[in-house]
Amino acid sequence: MEVFFFELAPGTSEKRLDKYLGEKLRFFGIQHFIFEKKRRNNFAILTLLDVVNGERFLQAYSDNGKGLFLDKPFRCKRNRYKADPYKLRSMEKRLTDLAKKTLIAHGPPTVKQFVGSSVSCGVWDYPDGNLTFVPSFMILRPLRIYFGKKELAVIVDPIDRSFGERELRIGIDYSSIHGLTSANMQDSSIMLTLYYSPKFYKEGQELTNGVHADPALSEMNRLTNGLFRSLRLDMPPRPPKRIRISALNNRHAMVASSCYVYALKLSPDHIQAIKNLLHRKTFLPDIVVWPFWNGSRSSARVGSYRDLVNLLQNSLQHVDFSIRFQLQRLAQNLYLLPHIVDRLIPKVLEFEQNRGVEATVYALQQFSKRIDYAGAASEADLFTISNLEALLNAQDDSYDTLSPFALARRYSHLVLIHRARITPTSVYLEGPYAETKNAILDRYPDFALQYFLRVTFEDENGEPLRYEPNVDLSEIHSSRFRSILDGNINVAGRKFMFLGFSHSSLRDQSCWFCAPFIKDGSLVYGRALINELGDFTAIRSPAKCAARIGQAFTDLNDNVHLARTAIRRIADVERSDRCFSDGCSVASEAVFRKLWKGYKPGASKPKLFQIRYGGVKGMISLDKSLKGEIINVRPSQDKFPSDAEWLGVCGAAKRPLPLYLNRPLIKVLEDLGVDKNVFLGLQQDAMNELRAIARSPVNASAFLSLHDIAKSSNLAWLVKELHHMGIPVLDDHFLWSAIELVLVMRFGDLKYRGRIPIENGATLFGIMDETGILAEREVYCALSNGDIIQGHVAVTRSPVMHPGDIQYARAVDVPADSRLKDLQNCIVFSQHGARDLPSQLSGGDLDGDIFNIIADARILPRRTVDPADYPRPHPIDIGRPVETKDITSFFIDFLSNDQLGRISHLHLQFADQKLRGSESPECIVLANLHSVAVDFSKTGVPVTSKAFPRLDSANCKPDFMAPGPRVLLMDGVAALEGDDANGLYYEDEDDILRDLDPEGPKTRYYESQKVLGHLYRALDEHKFLREVQTGKREGVAAPRNALEQVFQYVKDKTRGFTWDHEVSWALEIKEQYENAVSDMMFANSLNPQKPLSEIEVFIGHVMGKNGNGGSKRARETSRTVREHFDELVGYTTECILKGDEEEFNEQALERSIACLSVAVGNVSDVVARVGKLESFGYLAATICLRQVKRFSKDGF
C-alpha cells in the first residue's frame, strides 16, 4: 500500500522526513518502507508491504494530520493510486536479502562519517635522504569525510555563501590508492598516495537547503515555478546537484595534474577510528607508520613541470624529439619530480651519444617501469641521482630485436606512434608503441613517430567519461576537452593539433593529432593533409564529413598498390528504393593474389576482405571469372572522390566466428516463443563445461583449444602434455592462475552478459549473391572447415532491439559449378524479393557487418514479427563547407550526447517490466531511438533523454541488471571484492554517500520472473569460485613447480647434449621477451598508472575496471593484446628454432633447453611497477618438449 503525505514545509528533505516518520512507523511494527520525496515538492509518498499495520498508522494520523509536525503541521492519507508492483517486489527482495545478510554480518555498524580541518596535495621527495611531503596546495576549511562502499568523499564546506562560495567535493576511488601513510599512530593526518587524480566537483547553483545562493534568483525561481504549476506545464529542469570540474580553484588547477599525494588533517578524536576503518577495507594497502618531514618546493632551476617543458623547448631543441618526449613523460606521468629529471639529462645525453636515439628511447621506457613509487614503502636510496643513473645504465642492453622499433620494422602493417591520454585533470604521455597503420600513417611512415599523436579522452581511471546522475559534465566537455581539441598539445615545444578520427575511435573517444612537418620541401599540416585524401567540399554536414575523412584513419592490416585503372564501376542492385548490394562487390583473383602475399604457404586464404581504397569502402569477394586486376566499385561503396592507389585491408573472413547468445537476443527469443528452460539448459551445459575444466587437465586442454585461448603459445598442448607426463598441472601456480582467470572471465560472460555458446550456428560476414542463383529468403553459408549450413535457420545481427530483428531464412547449397563455391566463411544473401534481408536485421548492410546464423532448432523463434523500417534521419546541414572547428565541435557533441548505452539498458528494463516484453510500444520506441543513436556518428542528430518513454518504475530494475562483485587478482589468484552472497546487490543500500545526494536516483532491484532473471539467479560466482579453487587438486602432492619437473624430464631424455654454450644467448632472449611483455602490460592498460597483469597478456583477456572484462573497451583491448602477443610468441619461437619448426634440429633442441634452463635457474627481476614475470618459462617448456618429442621420434 502507499500513503500520501502533503502540506509539507518547503525544502523538507527525504532524509529528514524518513528519520522523523521512521520512529512513528516502527512504533506500529512497520520496519521496512520506502520514502520518496523531492526537495522542491511539498508532498511525499510512503510505500510499505505491511498493509495491516499501515492501516493502523493511517487511523492514527490521517485525521487532519494529528500529531504530524515537521517545521509545520502536515497531513497524510491513503494514496489514490495503487502501489507500484515493481517497487513492492523490490521491497520483498530487500527483505530476503537482509535476511541473508544477517547470516554473514560481522560486528556492530561502523561509523563512516568524520570531520577534518584541512586538505592539501603535493608530492613525496627525499631531500637529504629524508622522506618529505612537499605540499603545493592547501585548503584550510572544515571538512566532512565519508567512507563509502567504493570511494572516499571529502566535502569542503564553504565559509561564506554570500560571497558566492560553493561546497566542493573530492572523490577518491579506493582502487586509486597506492599507499597510506601516517607519521605515527597518534598523528592526526593521513597521507593518501594515489595512482591517479581524484574526481573534483563543485556544488550546483541550487543549494542543499533549498535556498538559492543569489536571493534574487531564488525569488525569480519561486515565481517561475509557480507560473509553471498554475499552467500545469512541466517544471523547468533544475540546476544539477554537482558540477564536475578539473580543479578545486585556480591555484589548485596549476598543480592538480602533478600532485597525487593528498593529506587529510583529521580531528584527533577520529583518527584511530579512521585508521581502523581503513584497515578493515579489503584490498586497501596497510597504513605505513613512518616519520616524515614537511618541506617546500625544490629551489633547483627546474622546480616545476612548466620549468622542465621550457627547458626541453628552448635549451634542448637539438635533442631528438623522441628523447625529449621521454624526458617530459618522466615528469608529466609522475615517475620522477622535474628537478630530478633535469639532473638526469646529462646522463641521458651521454647514453644517446654512446648508443643512439632508438636505444636511448627504449632504455628510458624500460627505466620508467623500474622506478618505484615514492613514499614510505620505498627506500630513499632508490631516488638518489647516482642510483637512478645506475638504473638507466642497466638498461644499456635492453634495446633488442623485440623492441617496438624492431617490431615496426619487422611487420609492414605496424608503425611506431606516441600517445597522449587526456583526463579532466591531466595529460599523460605514453609510448612509443607499435600500432596498426592507417591510410594516413601509411602515406607518411617516416614521420609517424615524430609528428603524429594518438589522443584519447577519458576519465581519471582510464575508462570513458560517462554520465553520472545529477552531475553536469559540461565544464569538462566544453571547457577542458574542447580547449585541447581547438588548441594544441605541447610536447617539448612541438605543438600537436587535431587531425581526425575513425568511426570506431569516435566511439572510443579517441582521435589523431598532428604537428606540421616538411616533406619534399613542402609544409604538411592538418588541413592540407586532409585535402590530399580527397574532395570533401561538397559535404555540408560535420558528422558526415568527419565520417568520410575517418575512412583514412581506419586501422589497416595490409596495404597493396592497385592502380585506378583496376576500377570497374558497376550499378547497385536496387528495387523498390531498396539497395540489395549496399556496400559489397567483387574483385578478380589477380587482386586477391596481391592481398594473399602476406599469408604463409599452405595457410587458408580469405575469399572476402573488408577494404578501404581512397573514398571506397566495403566488402569485396572473390570472383574468378574476372580476368586481370579488376575491382568492381558500386555507388554505395564510393563515399567521396579520391585519387588514392593503395588498397587497404581492415578485415578478412579468415574463419567462421562462433555463435554466442547475449541478453538482448535471449529476451527477444523468449518473446518470440522460445521456452526459458531451453536457455537454462544451454547455460547449464556451459557451466558443466567450466566445472569440468577445474577437475581435469584434459578437459582444460580441450576447452583452451576449442576457444583458441593462448593459442600462439600452445597452452592447450602444454597442459595436455604435462598431464600425460604425470605432472600435476593444476597445482602449478602460474598455469592454474591462467586457467582460473579464464574460468572467472567465462563465468562473468555467462552471468552478466548472457553469453551462452551455441554450437549449431556461426557468425559471418555478409555479402550479396552476385550470380542471382539464390531465391528470395535463401542464404548460402559455407565454412572453411568444409561444412555448409543447410535447412531452416534464423538470421539476426547484434544488437537485437526490435522483435523483427530476427528473421527466418532457408540455408541451401549451390551447384558445384557456381561461383559461390569459391567463397567461405560468409553468409550470401539473395538479391531477389521486395526488400533485402540484411536491412531487416537491425538496419544492417553489407559493407562489413557480421550476422548471426542460428541453426539450432531448440532456439529458433516459434514465430517472427515484421521487421522495423525506420526512416533514416538526414545529416545536419550547416549550409557551408565544413571546417576543422565544426568537426571538433561534433566530437564534443558526441562525447556529451552519446546515448547508446542508456538506451540499451532502458530497453532491457522496459522489456522485463512490460507484459509484451520487447514487443511493447515503449520498447519499439526505444528500438527506433537506438537506430537514431547508432547513426548519430554519421548524421550529427543526437537522441535526447526527453525522447525516452516514461517508465513508472524507473528506479526499480530487474535483479540481473545489478552490478556484480569486482574481480581482483591477488598474487595471481582470483578473488571477489566483498563478501556479499549471490543476489545481495541492493545498490548503495549501506553506502553513506547516498546521504550526500538525496535527490539522486535510488536504484532498487526486484527478482525478475523473465528468462534473464532465472538465468542470472542460477549462477553464483562466490560459490563457483570456491568450488573451482577447492576442487582443482589432482590428488598428487604439490610439486616445486611444473617447470622444474619438465626440466628434469628434458635432461633425462637428452643425455649427451650440451647447451651451456647457449645460456648467455638464452638470457638475452628471455630479457627481450620479458621487456616486450611488460611493454604490452603498459601499452594496453585501461588505467594510465596501473599496468595489466602478465596473466591477462598471456591469455589475451583484459579484466577492465570491474575485473570482469565486460566493458566494450576491455573487449576491444583484449583483441589487440592477443594480436600483439601472438606476434611476440611467433617471433620468439622463430628465434629459438631458427625457422625450422617442422623437423628435428640439434641446435634448436639445445637452444630450447638453454631457454628452459634460464627460466628455471635464473629468477626474473621483480620490476617495480610490473612485478615478477613467469610466462617465458612456459613458452620455453612448450618449445623444448616439442623438440624432445621430435628428437625421440627421429631416433637420434
Side-chain angles (χ1 to χ4, degrees), residues 96-107:
T96 304
D97 289 350
L98 288 173
K100 293 179 183 177
K101 204 164 189 177
T102 302
L103 299 176
I104 60 172
H106 303 288

Side-chain angles (χ1 to χ4, degrees), residues 223-345:
L223 294 173
T224 303
N225 293 346
L227 175 63
F228 273 76
R229 287 193 186 97
S230 66
L231 295 176
R232 297 186 177 180
L233 299 175
D234 290 337
M235 293 287 293
R238 293 182 64 220
K241 177 75 170 83
R242 286 179 288 153
I243 300 170
R244 182 80 182 270
I245 52 179
S246 295
L248 299 174
N249 57 31
N250 291 337
R251 287 185 300 110
H252 186 231
M254 298 176 66
V255 299
S257 65
S258 57
C259 296
Y260 288 177
V261 182
Y262 278 76
L264 301 178
K265 187 72 173 178
L266 307 164
S267 167
D269 296 337
H270 292 167
I271 184 65
Q272 193 57 51
I274 290 178
K275 289 179 178 179
N276 292 340
L277 182 64
L278 288 169
H279 182 71
R280 289 174 56 184
K281 282 287 178 186
T282 313
F283 308 119
L284 271 185
D286 292 332
I287 296 177
V288 176
V289 178
W290 191 269
F292 60 85
W293 301 84
N294 285 290
S296 57
R297 197 176 105 177
S298 170
S299 59
R301 68 164 181 166
V302 175
S304 71
Y305 159 72
R306 286 182 177 79
D307 294 339
L308 180 64
V309 173
N310 289 334
L311 176 70
L312 296 174
Q313 179 174 336
N314 300 319
S315 302
L316 296 175
Q317 281 188 328
H318 62 285
V319 178
D320 187 90
F321 171 77
S322 295
I323 294 177
R324 286 184 285 143
F325 182 97
Q326 294 301 318
L327 291 170
Q328 183 168 331
R329 173 176 170 267
L330 285 173
Q332 195 157 316
N333 291 20
L334 309 186
Y335 291 105
L336 294 172
L337 296 179
H339 72 88
I340 296 178
V341 175
D342 177 39
R343 294 175 65 188
L344 275 177
I345 288 176

Side-chain angles (χ1 to χ4, degrees), residues 48-68:
L48 41 84
L49 289 172
D50 191 341
V51 177
V52 174
N53 285 323
E55 293 288 356
R56 290 176 57 216
F57 175 86
L58 278 174
Q59 288 174 10
Y61 291 105
S62 63
D63 183 16
N64 296 319
K66 179 182 177 182
L68 295 178

Side-chain angles (χ1 to χ4, degrees), residues 11 40 83 97 150 178 223 242-243 279 342 504 524 544 583 625 639-640 659 702 765 844 1052 1141 1146 1149 1158 1168:
R40 57 179 172 169
D97 289 350
K150 297 180 180 178
H178 171 262
L223 294 173
R242 286 179 288 153
I243 300 170
H279 182 71
D342 177 39
S504 61
V524 180
K544 187 175 181 180
S625 68
K639 304 301 182 180
F640 60 87
L659 172 63
F765 280 111
D1052 292 343
E1141 192 172 355
E1146 187 172 320
L1149 176 61
V1158 300

Side-chain angles (χ1 to χ4, degrees), residues 682-717:
L682 289 168
Q683 179 175 270
Q684 188 58 49
D685 290 344
M687 281 301 302
N688 291 340
E689 187 177 29
L690 292 183
R691 289 190 177 95
I693 295 170
R695 293 193 293 265
S696 164
V698 174
N699 293 334
S701 174
F703 183 87
L704 295 171
S705 178
L706 178 65
H707 296 281
D708 289 338
I709 297 168
K711 182 179 180 180
S712 59
S713 57
N714 289 298
L715 177 61
W717 183 88

